[in-house]
Amino acid sequence: MIEKLEIELKELNVKQDKLSKFLAKQNKKTLSVKQRELLKEQKQAMKNYAKALSLRIMDLRGE
């Protein structure tokens, strides 16, 4: 189970990195204000999810 969670966390981290890079490249002409806000909200949700996964992994390891 730990291995599966670690894989999920790694994949999530890759997606977070891609989203961060995407947001850094965008400007007001390429994305609407609403879309930028929603993507930032999505990024925060991904961060929270990654934290929960990390805590679950640590708990399963007995840390």
Side-chain angles (χ1 to χ4, degrees), residues 1-12:
M1 179 177 227
I2 293 173
E3 185 177 316
K4 185 177 178 181
L5 291 173
E6 288 174 334
I7 291 169
E8 186 174 351
L9 180 58
K10 286 179 186 178
E11 290 172 352
L12 180 60

Side-chain angles (χ1 to χ4, degrees), residues 19-28 30-31 36:
L19 178 55
S20 292
K21 289 177 182 177
F22 176 78
L23 283 170
K25 292 180 182 178
Q26 301 307 306
N27 59 41
K28 293 178 182 178
T30 56
L31 284 177
R36 284 189 64 77

Side-chain angles (χ1 to χ4, degrees), residues 18-63:
K18 287 180 180 181
L19 178 55
S20 292
K21 289 177 182 177
F22 176 78
L23 283 170
K25 292 180 182 178
Q26 301 307 306
N27 59 41
K28 293 178 182 178
K29 293 180 183 178
T30 56
L31 284 177
S32 68
V33 173
K34 182 69 173 179
Q35 283 296 310
R36 284 189 64 77
E37 289 174 6
L38 291 169
L39 285 170
K40 287 178 183 179
E41 187 175 324
Q42 178 179 332
K43 184 179 169 188
Q44 184 61 44
M46 293 168 82
K47 182 178 178 181
N48 292 339
Y49 183 39
K51 182 179 178 181
L53 285 174
S54 294
L55 290 171
R56 288 184 63 207
I57 291 167
M58 289 172 52
D59 182 62
L60 288 168
R61 288 183 177 157
E63 297 175 8

